[in-house]
């Protein structure tokens, strides 16, 4: 939407338009540069402030994720024999993938 907004703003501050033979409006020949520069700057600042506001609203309302027991590695609670059996199973699965038929 910003190209449409800035395009409309640029067209708004055109002072002299080129007109074709059938009366259609063509390109702009002269702009009110003082007001155009002023409003382009303030529209950009306003849009940046608006986007910053929405960013901080999302940041403040996003739920904080607290660590749970599921976040800890399962290997820490396992016995050494369980660790070896899981790695043996993993190696068998990986070998099955490498087999050609």
């Amino acid at each position: 939407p910003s190209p449409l907004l800035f395009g409309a703003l640029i067209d708004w501050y055109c002072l002299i338009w080129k007109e074709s033979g059938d009366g259609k409006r063509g390109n702009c020949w002269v702009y009110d540069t003082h007001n155009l520069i002023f409003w382009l700057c303030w529209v950009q600042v306003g849009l940046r402030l608006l986007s910053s506001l929405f960013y901080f609203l999302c940041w403040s309302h996003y739920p904080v994720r607290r660590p749970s027991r599921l976040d800890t590695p399962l290997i820490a609670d396992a016995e050494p024999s369980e660790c070896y059996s899981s790695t043996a199973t993993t190696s068998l699965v990986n070998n099955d993938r490498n087999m050609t038929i």
Side-chain angles (χ1 to χ4, degrees), residues 39-55:
W39 283 106
L40 282 175
C41 178
W42 282 109
V43 166
Q44 180 184 4
V45 168
L47 290 174
R48 296 246 177 173
L49 288 173
L50 187 65
S51 66
S52 297
L53 172 74
F54 282 118
Y55 173 78

Side-chain angles (χ1 to χ4, degrees), residues 40-94:
L40 282 175
C41 178
W42 282 109
V43 166
Q44 180 184 4
V45 168
L47 290 174
R48 296 246 177 173
L49 288 173
L50 187 65
S51 66
S52 297
L53 172 74
F54 282 118
Y55 173 78
F56 285 113
L57 281 173
C58 290
W59 178 74
S60 65
H61 286 78
Y62 190 76
V64 176
R65 185 171 179 252
R66 291 180 176 79
S68 68
R69 188 168 193 280
L70 296 175
D71 291 338
T72 58
L74 296 176
I75 238 121
D77 296 333
E79 295 294 323
S81 62
E82 294 172 349
C83 293
Y84 292 121
S85 65
S86 64
T87 55
T89 307
T90 305
S91 64
L92 288 175
V93 170
N94 288 336

